[in-house]
Amino acid sequence: LDFNFFKYQKGIITFNNNRFFLFETSGTYLIEYELLKSKKKKYLDILFGAAFDTGYETMSQFGSNLNEVFEVLSALGWGEVLQFSSAGNQIKISINHFPWSKWYDDIDFLMVRGFLSGIVSKINKKKMLFEKPVIDLSKGSLSLLFGGKYV
């Protein structure tokens, strides 16, 4: 706020005319967890689509390249977000120290995959879809490794 990156007026935080709100991390886990339990794939598709659109339309505005956008995600509490080049039409993204809850092993990180897919698609101007991440807790924190392919 001090650097006028975000605007704050009457209790509302905005960036490029998009409203932001506080959403505690366990909320993302619980939404996906409950939808997975319901076994209604159409709702999971809607959730992924909404996350993809948010990444594509909103999150990608934070920078002109992936490193700039990932720095903002880190500043917003996502942990350390890094991109690795892969062979052919693949990209790998690692998130170290991602905020986690007890449901980390019960979900597919659908919302995060959607955000990342939308961001990468917009910045690279080619549709990218990420798959369920490889989960690593060996360093005492949650690390997620996402593999994605251009489609």
Side-chain angles (χ1 to χ4, degrees), residues 51-77:
F52 182 96
D53 291 346
T54 300
Y56 192 90
E57 298 296 334
T58 304
M59 303 306 286
S60 62
Q61 294 179 30
F62 286 123
S64 59
N65 63 58
L66 290 176
N67 288 335
E68 290 175 357
V69 176
F70 291 167
E71 284 180 17
V72 173
L73 293 179
S74 293
L76 292 173

Side-chain angles (χ1 to χ4, degrees), residues 38-101:
S38 77
K39 303 200 185 310
K40 299 213 177 187
K41 184 174 176 350
K42 69 178 180 179
Y43 296 125
L44 293 169
D45 292 342
I46 291 169
L47 181 62
F48 180 86
F52 182 96
D53 291 346
T54 300
Y56 192 90
E57 298 296 334
T58 304
M59 303 306 286
S60 62
Q61 294 179 30
F62 286 123
S64 59
N65 63 58
L66 290 176
N67 288 335
E68 290 175 357
V69 176
F70 291 167
E71 284 180 17
V72 173
L73 293 179
S74 293
L76 292 173
W78 278 47
E80 179 186 34
V81 185
L82 305 168
Q83 175 191 341
F84 299 93
S85 296
S86 296
N89 67 343
Q90 299 180 355
I91 288 181
K92 293 199 183 298
I93 294 177
S94 175
I95 304 178
N96 298 314
H97 310 288
F98 188 80
W100 61 309
S101 76

